[in-house]
């Protein structure tokens, strides 16, 4: 009997706190809504049409439409107080100002591919500003430039370029449903990076909403802020509305290929040689290396997949590979010649002959659970080292690697030209990758533990002091900030891994444009302590 009253007290306290929370949420929503209506001119689109609160029948659909990792699509995942889906640039301005008025965190989402869900999950009360309605693409052929809004996806951009020209392209990622806003603000790269560098190396202007709600272009924002949002993560400094990009020339014929080797087929020797070749071979050739633990004839082994794109025809590619990388055993029948837009479809795993219009789809074929991590390799790994790594990969389970070669244009651009610092001196970037479809917390723990173990094992082989990481492979394991009084020191932990020597300049810019740290997330750039 003695415990019963305590249980009742706890129950009524829980109901009271829950009701209070709901009341506060409702009050915040009404305040936010009233603020938007006050700021919105009479002729603008109806404000209610861009707002989705949890009572709206479309709330779940809008929320889940751009969740690209099932780890963050559960009933227990923290939900936003509100989703704002602006249809005009001024809607973004109003949302920024009104979120400040109710002192609530604003999460900015363009495509939802951030691997740790930073753009749409928080343990604090928050609003999602979802940019998917702002996705116009305007291509100017005479100047070979384009304005692309933040909510556009890479596939849409590639498609629009292909309808205007067969000899122009853009160096960005291979996944067509990645949002332009997040991809470019974090650096952005793809299979032309050895020829043309990063996506941000081709950004010539931008439009952004700052903490004061102003809509600024490059001239108005100044060169410091313009520098910061080209690789430093736009969501730390404002809301990126659009980027102006320079298109790049591509030949009418490009060649792609995929060559696979297992350990029994001398994969160790070929991978070893790849390290000495991939960053030094013809700049028009990009050879990505996938390393995966697989089962062949009931035996666990490692499969090495060499997936390449060459900006030219098969005859020239045969010559380049024959002279520079004969260990690959490349044959003419490995070649697949196609247009640049055809290669975009190939890298996105569409069947040969698929029409480019498929790139306009904003829905991935499937969404799984997943975790990613990253590293940089600056010295080739020995054969003994590789064989040790193979054993560890098989022991760990399912986690694989994606090696992306550098060199070429990446080695020519100074580390401080943009916030992205990982240029000369890096042979390749590593992505650790694991996906799973099993439901439940136990599966999450198992697979995330696998990838963390492999990351730990790789410590002797990767960059040091600090151990580098790539911002667009978001990884909360390497450090987070509570955005309180220690935000500067907390930010330094992950900031120097992502940005190396550029971190201090990013903090300086942040202090100038957002000293109150309104634009913040778990891995944002903090201002200097006041």
């Amino acid at each position: 009997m003695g415990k019963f009253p305590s249980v009742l007290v706890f129950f009524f306290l829980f109901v009271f706190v829950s009701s209070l929370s709901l009341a506060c949420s409702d009050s915040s929503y009404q305040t936010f809504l009233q603020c938007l209506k006050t700021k919105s001119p009479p002729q603008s689109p109806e404000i209610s049409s861009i707002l989705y609160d949890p009572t709206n029948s479309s709330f779940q659909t809008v929320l889940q439409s751009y969740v690209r990792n099932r780890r963050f699509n559960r009933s227990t995942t923290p939900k936003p107080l509100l989703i704002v889906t602006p249809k005009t640039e001024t809607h973004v301005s109003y949302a920024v100002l009104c979120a400040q008025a109710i002192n609530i965190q604003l999460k900015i989402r363009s495509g939802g591919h951030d691997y740790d869900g930073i753009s749409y999950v928080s343990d604090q009360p928050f609003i999602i500003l979802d940019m998917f309605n702002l996705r116009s693409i305007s291509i100017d052929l005479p100047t070979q430039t384009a304005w692309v809004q933040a909510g556009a996806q890479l596939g849409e951009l590639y498609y629009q370029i292909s309808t205007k020209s067969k000899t122009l392209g853009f160096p960005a990622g291979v996944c067509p449903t990645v949002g332009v806003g997040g991809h470019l603000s974090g650096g952005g790269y793809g299979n032309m990076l050895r020829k043309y560098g990063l996506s941000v190396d081709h950004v010539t202007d931008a439009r952004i909403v700052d903490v004061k709600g102003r809509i600024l272009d490059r001239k108005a924002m100044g060169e410091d802020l313009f520098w910061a949002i080209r690789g430093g993560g736009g969501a730390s400094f404002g809301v990126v509305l659009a980027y102006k990009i320079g298109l790049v020339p591509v030949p009418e014929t490009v060649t792609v290929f995929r060559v696979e080797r297992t350990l029994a087929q001398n994969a160790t020797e070929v991978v070893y040689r790849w390290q000495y070749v991939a960053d030094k071979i013809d700049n028009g050739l990009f050879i990505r290396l996938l390393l995966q633990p697989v089962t062949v004839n009931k035996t666990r082994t490692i499969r090495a997949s060499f997936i390449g794109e060459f900006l030219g025809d098969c005859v020239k590619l045969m010559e380049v590979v024959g002279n520079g990388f004969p260990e690959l055993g490349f044959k003419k029948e490995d070649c697949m010649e196609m247009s640049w837009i055809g290669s975009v479809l190939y890298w996105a795993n569409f069947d040969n002959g698929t029409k480019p219009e498929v790139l306009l789809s904003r829905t991935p074929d499937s969404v799984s659970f997943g975790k990613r991590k990253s590293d940089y390799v600056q010295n080739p790994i020995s054969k003994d080292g590789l064989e040790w790594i193979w054993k560890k990969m098989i022991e760990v389970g399912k986690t694989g690697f994606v090696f992306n070669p550098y060199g070429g244009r990446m080695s020519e651009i100074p580390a401080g030209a943009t916030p992205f610092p990982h240029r000369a001196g890096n042979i390749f970037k590593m992505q650790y990758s694991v996906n799973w479809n099993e439901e439940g917390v136990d599966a999450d723990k198992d697979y995330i533990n696998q990838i963390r173990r492999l990351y730990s094992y790789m410590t002797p082989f990767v960059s040091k002091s600090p151990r580098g990481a790539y911002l667009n492979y978001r990884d909360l394991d390497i450090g987070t900030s509570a955005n309180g009084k220690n935000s500067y020191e907390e930010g330094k932990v992950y900031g120097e891994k992502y940005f190396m020597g550029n971190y201090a300049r990013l903090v300086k810019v942040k202090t100038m444009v957002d000293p109150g740290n309104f634009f913040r997330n778990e891995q944002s750039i903090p201002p200097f302590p006041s």
Side-chain angles (χ1 to χ4, degrees), residues 446-500:
D446 178 31
Y447 286 106
I448 291 174
N449 181 56
Q450 285 186 29
I451 196 171
R452 287 172 176 166
R453 283 175 60 200
L454 194 56
Y455 181 81
S456 176
Y457 293 146
M458 292 302 294
T459 303
F461 307 106
V462 300
S463 63
K464 299 170 179 63
S465 301
R467 184 173 183 170
Y470 175 39
L471 181 67
N472 275 356
Y473 292 168
R474 284 288 193 182
D475 178 12
L476 295 180
D477 292 350
I478 68 170
T480 59
S481 174
N483 289 298
K485 63 179 182 179
N486 297 321
S487 64
Y488 176 75
E489 290 302 324
E490 291 167 345
K492 195 173 182 180
V493 174
Y494 55 82
E496 291 190 343
K497 294 171 185 174
Y498 285 138
F499 307 113
M500 315 292 279

Side-chain angles (χ1 to χ4, degrees), residues 98-167:
C98 294
Q100 289 181 74
I102 62 172
N103 192 28
I104 195 166
Q105 187 178 24
L106 196 66
K107 291 278 188 168
I108 306 160
R109 183 165 74 170
S110 63
H113 276 272
D114 52 331
Y115 289 133
D116 272 355
I118 286 177
S119 65
Y120 52 88
V121 177
S122 178
D123 59 3
Q124 304 293 322
F126 68 107
I127 289 173
I128 293 178
L129 183 65
D130 203 317
M131 303 292 284
F132 66 82
N133 283 324
L134 295 176
R135 58 179 191 249
S136 72
I137 299 169
S138 177
I139 296 173
D140 183 36
L141 276 184
T143 60
Q144 297 185 0
T145 61
W147 272 102
V148 189
Q149 286 190 307
Q153 296 187 345
L154 294 181
E156 295 170 326
L157 172 60
Y158 298 152
Y159 174 79
Q160 293 300 333
I161 294 171
S162 74
T163 64
K164 301 290 193 301
S165 171
K166 293 181 179 179
T167 56

Side-chain angles (χ1 to χ4, degrees), residues 487-488 503-512 515 526-530:
S487 64
Y488 176 75
Y503 174 69
R505 184 178 173 187
L506 286 167
V507 172
K508 184 178 179 182
V509 176
K510 172 71 171 184
T511 307
M512 286 192 306
F528 283 119
S530 55

Side-chain angles (χ1 to χ4, degrees), residues 223-345:
E223 289 303 300
D224 286 325
L225 180 53
F226 182 63
W227 174 85
I229 62 171
R230 289 178 298 135
S236 290
F237 305 96
V239 182
V240 175
L241 298 168
Y243 284 109
K244 185 180 183 182
I245 59 173
L247 307 181
V248 301
V250 294
E252 289 197 24
T253 300
V254 304
T255 306
V256 298
F257 62 88
R258 185 184 188 108
V259 175
E260 295 184 343
R261 300 282 185 269
T262 63
L263 297 185
Q265 297 168 320
N266 209 25
T268 302
E269 174 67 25
V270 186
V271 171
Y272 176 73
R273 283 299 303 157
W274 176 91
Q275 298 176 98
Y276 290 88
V277 171
D279 66 326
K280 299 176 183 67
I281 205 162
D282 187 299
N283 290 357
L285 176 57
F286 174 87
I287 308 175
R288 170 176 281 180
L289 172 55
L290 267 59
L291 295 165
Q292 297 163 296
V294 296
T295 300
V296 178
N297 296 326
K298 298 182 180 180
T299 301
R300 293 290 281 169
T301 186
I302 299 296
R303 181 177 64 210
S305 302
F306 301 85
I307 308 170
E309 173 155 321
F310 179 63
L311 299 174
D313 61 23
C314 181
V315 173
K316 179 63 177 175
L317 174 59
M318 291 287 294
E319 177 186 335
V320 169
V321 177
N323 291 334
F325 193 16
E327 295 84 359
L328 184 61
F330 189 72
K331 302 184 290 291
K332 186 175 182 181
E333 50 264 37
D334 295 321
C335 288
M336 287 179 281
E337 292 183 339
M338 57 190 63
S339 64
W340 174 74
I341 195 65
S343 74
V344 168
L345 295 164

